[in-house]
Amino acid sequence: MRIRLKGGRVLDPAHGESLVSRDVELVDGRIVAGTDLKADVEYDLGGDVVMAGGIDLHSHIAGGKMNLARMLMQEDRRAFPELPGAFCGCGGGRAVPTAHATGCRYSELGYTTVFEPAMVGANARGAHLEMADIPNLDTGAYLVLGNDDFLLRLMAAGAKQEQINAYVGWMVEATQAFAIKIVNPGGINAFKFNARWMQLDEANPHYGVTPRTVLQTLIRAVTELGLPHPIHLHGCNLGVPGNDETTLATILAAEGRRLHLTHLQFHSYGTEGDRKFSSSAARIAELVNKNPNISVDVGQVMFGQTVTASADYMSQYRNRGIATPKKSIGMDIELDAACGVIPFEYRDKSFVNALQWAIGLELFLLVDDPWRIFLTTDHPNGGPFTTYPHLIRLLMDRDFRNAQLATLHKAAQAHTLLGQISREYSLDEIAILTRAAPARILGLTDKGHLAPGGVGDVVVYAEESDREAMFSTARLVFKDGRLVVKDGAIVETVAGTTHVARPEFDRGIEKDMQRWFDEAVGLKASHFRIADHELRNGAGPTILTCEGVAP
């Protein structure tokens, strides 16, 4: 089928197109060069803005932690029931929507691809089954390593890098993962041995390895295996005043290799002032600007009720006393990682919460390169992804941003540089950090742009001066060339694909893995492995091949 989107203004930063008046044609789910052929369906856009489908590289949408959060937060479903007249019967929830509602809400905003950033190996099969239930979105997952006993034992025994690489490659293939995520390197494991804090160069109390060593070893493994996305790092000391020094040291610890720092807002806290809590966004943004190997997403705090769900149980255990409402969950599975779930309400009249909000915006506005910073709230940890349109307006409208700042806790206003920052994001920059840049850093060459050969994920927005209104309701959303949203409402649900990476590695690790699973894990290695036919209800994955590099 040939679909023509006629009379729109194309915004495609990947190819230097800034509101260029031209038609976009789709044939059999792909973008093709414009022709004079008669279209089967034609849409007259009347000058509306045309973008590629949005890509969120960090949003907790599936897996054990989210199901635990849904179980813990039944009131979220009651407070936000299914929308009246919803086409798809998707259920409710805001902070922790159902899998089906997640796909519907994302596609209404104009997103077509979302990555789960923290899949635990022991729970990988369940995460993939859940992602298959998310409509209108392509997905993928980052495997959590860096606290697993097999890796730490290898490192403690002085294993060669080649053996580490083989283990990482085996785990990526076995769990059908796309990238590697490190959560508090070595710190989750240290918590099990009664540690409550971990500095970058502090030895694990049992294995003797430091977070720096874990990080550098896995950065090298990912680099040499050729995984498209760099290490996705949740660093040490999340949420702790004074963690700015750890973050600065972590950037330097990458030693020029590619590294992605996730939810950076939660790692940008100083200890200045009488409250011993301050913003270090300017210092950290300056170092990010000087190191082109570093990319970041922000994890912006948005006011209101949400729930925090993280593998970093060291930090979640510390925060359980400030849960709102007063309940929490903590658990571990197969010594693989951990999970802490804590409900939380960010309040604009709280000094700490207000300053967190300001710190995130400072980072957005002080990191110069929009190709190396990404729009996230660390859904649901900083706030639900449905708040993205409001966040976009904050970035694009200084007067609106300053008006919001003026309503916050007075002491927080005095501790931030936000009111002095004049920068406003352009539409082009919004398209970069929500489309073109995520596609580039993830290695998705057929996404994030509107050139011939690209996947038919196309979004049309009616331009409005109120950018929040503009990005809250997409006029049209096409997923693989099929219309799924019209005038902000779901009109069809379709199945997406799952992106996985397939690195080459030394297959000699297989015997070691079989022995480890027999001795230490509750199932066979062959049962742990997830087959292609188990993904997407038998449709299988979309595989990205990897090109390894020399050590």
Side-chain angles (χ1 to χ4, degrees):
M1 173 181 285
R2 182 177 298 272
I3 299 171
R4 180 174 292 116
L5 306 179
K6 187 176 180 62
R9 293 179 297 147
V10 170
L11 190 55
D12 182 5
H15 294 93
E17 292 186 297
S18 179
L19 299 177
V20 174
S21 295
R22 70 170 175 89
D23 299 345
V24 175
E25 291 192 24
L26 310 175
V27 175
D28 298 331
R30 289 275 169 177
I31 299 170
V32 299
T35 69
D36 294 327
L37 298 174
K38 180 178 175 57
D40 297 287
V41 182
E42 186 170 285
Y43 296 87
D44 187 355
L45 303 185
D48 286 346
V49 178
V50 186
M51 298 186 187
I55 303 171
D56 194 341
L57 57 55
H58 186 107
S59 180
H60 297 280
I61 56 174
K65 63 190 173 304
M66 294 310 295
N67 285 312
L68 288 171
R70 292 181 187 114
M71 179 178 69
L72 188 68
M73 289 293 290
Q74 292 292 324
E75 54 267 60
D76 182 56
R77 182 78 60 83
R78 292 193 296 269
F80 297 92
E82 182 178 334
L83 297 177
F87 164 82
C88 52
C90 59
R94 178 177 180 269
V96 279
T98 64
H100 200 99
T102 296
C104 294
R105 299 294 86 79
Y106 258 116
S107 56
E108 288 166 353
L109 297 177
Y111 279 78
T112 54
T113 304
V114 179
F115 283 83
E116 162 56 52
M119 178 178 71
V120 177
N123 194 42
R125 183 170 276 105
H128 282 295
L129 288 170
E130 189 169 2
M131 285 190 288
D133 285 339
I134 300 176
N136 297 353
L137 295 182
D138 295 338
T139 60
Y142 311 153
L143 174 67
V144 174
L145 293 181
N147 286 280
D148 38 314
D149 282 276
F150 190 90
L151 173 67
L152 295 175
R153 288 185 183 204
L154 284 178
M155 294 180 63
K160 294 181 179 179
Q161 185 68 42
E162 291 78 8
Q163 191 173 2
I164 302 288
N165 295 358
Y167 168 65
V168 173
W170 190 94
M171 287 292 291
V172 168
E173 182 179 275
T175 61
Q176 300 276 8
F178 183 83
I180 296 299
K181 167 79 170 291
I182 309 178
V183 178
N184 191 358
I188 301 171
N189 181 274
F191 180 83
K192 301 169 189 178
F193 297 97
N194 212 33
R196 292 296 180 265
W197 309 86
M198 280 290 284
Q199 302 296 340
L200 190 63
D201 293 304
E202 183 176 351
N204 179 289
H206 183 73
Y207 289 107
V209 298
T210 67
R212 181 190 297 270
T213 306
V214 173
L215 173 62
Q216 292 179 334
T217 300
L218 287 176
I219 287 178
R220 186 174 174 187
V222 163
T223 302
E224 294 176 12
L225 289 169
L227 290 174
H229 187 51
I231 282 289
H232 200 89
L233 177 67
H234 163 142
C236 304
N237 297 329
L238 177 140
V240 178
N243 63 15
D244 54 346
E245 296 297 338
T246 305
T247 302
L248 295 168
T250 299
I251 292 172
L252 298 177
E255 297 179 341
R257 290 191 171 100
R258 296 172 71 220
L259 174 64
H260 181 86
L261 302 176
T262 192
H263 42 64
L264 187 60
Q265 177 275 136
F266 289 108
H267 301 271
S268 301
Y269 303 157
T271 57
E272 296 179 1
D274 55 355
R275 296 172 184 256
K276 303 302 180 183
F277 181 70
S278 60
S279 170
S280 284
R283 294 180 67 203
I284 290 171
E286 181 181 15
L287 193 59
V288 170
N289 290 335
K290 290 179 179 178
N291 287 269
N293 59 305
I294 301 296
S295 59
V296 306
D297 64 75
V298 172
Q300 176 67 36
V301 159
M302 304 297 279
F303 299 121
Q305 178 68 53
T306 191
V307 59
T308 63
S310 175
D312 191 352
Y313 192 50
M314 181 180 279
S315 67
Q316 292 292 76
Y317 179 83
R318 186 169 59 245
N319 291 336
R320 72 196 188 283
I322 57 175
T324 308
K326 295 292 185 183
K327 52 185 176 179
S328 64
I329 294 176
M331 65 175 300
D332 191 356
I333 302 174
E334 294 283 9
L335 304 181
D336 217 356
C339 179
V341 180
I342 299 175
F344 194 78
E345 181 182 1
Y346 292 102
R347 296 178 292 111
D348 57 0
K349 301 307 179 186
S350 158
F351 168 76
V352 171
N353 298 163
L355 194 52
Q356 288 177 302
W357 177 89
I359 290 169
L361 293 173
E362 287 176 338
L363 289 168
F364 270 119
L365 298 165
L366 294 174
V367 171
D368 295 332
D369 186 358
W371 291 91
R372 293 194 289 123
I373 189 167
F374 304 90
L375 190 140
T376 67
T377 58
D378 188 22
H379 167 82
N381 292 299
F385 67 82
T386 48
T387 61
Y388 285 177
H390 184 73
L391 175 54
I392 289 172
R393 185 178 181 188
L394 289 169
L395 296 176
M396 297 188 73
D397 187 338
R398 183 193 181 192
D399 290 341
F400 177 75
R401 182 169 69 234
N402 286 344
Q404 299 294 301
L405 176 63
T407 68
L408 304 187
H409 191 287
K410 298 300 182 183
Q413 294 181 44
H415 282 72
T416 177
L417 300 173
L418 185 59
Q420 304 170 37
I421 302 174
S422 61
R423 181 181 177 186
E424 294 178 321
Y425 270 69
S426 66
L427 268 179
D428 295 78
E429 288 176 318
I430 293 297
I432 290 171
L433 78 156
T434 61
R435 275 120 170 123
R440 176 184 290 184
I441 199 172
L442 294 166
L444 303 175
T445 57
D446 61 354
K447 294 195 173 191
H449 66 82
L450 296 174
V455 67
D457 292 357
V458 183
V459 183
V460 178
Y461 295 104
E463 186 166 5
E464 301 185 43
S465 58
D466 180 343
R467 301 306 193 183
E468 182 173 353
M470 175 179 173
F471 285 101
S472 292
T473 305
R475 176 183 169 187
L476 300 172
V477 179
F478 293 88
K479 180 74 194 82
D480 295 320
R482 296 174 65 176
L483 182 66
V484 296
V485 172
K486 183 177 181 180
D487 297 327
I490 301 292
V491 295
E492 186 178 5
T493 57
V494 300
T497 189
T498 299
H499 292 289
V500 306
R502 287 287 167 82
E504 293 295 328
F505 59 92
D506 182 357
R507 299 283 168 173
I509 193 72
E510 192 72 48
K511 291 183 179 179
D512 294 332
M513 298 310 300
Q514 291 174 359
R515 185 180 308 110
W516 170 255
F517 273 79
D518 286 343
E519 295 175 354
V521 185
L523 75 167
K524 295 283 188 181
S526 58
H527 296 160
F528 178 83
R529 277 185 169 276
I530 302 171
D532 286 355
H533 67 79
E534 296 184 70
L535 270 60
R536 290 288 174 176
N537 301 313
T542 296
I543 299 171
L544 273 73
T545 57
C546 305
E547 297 182 4
V549 299

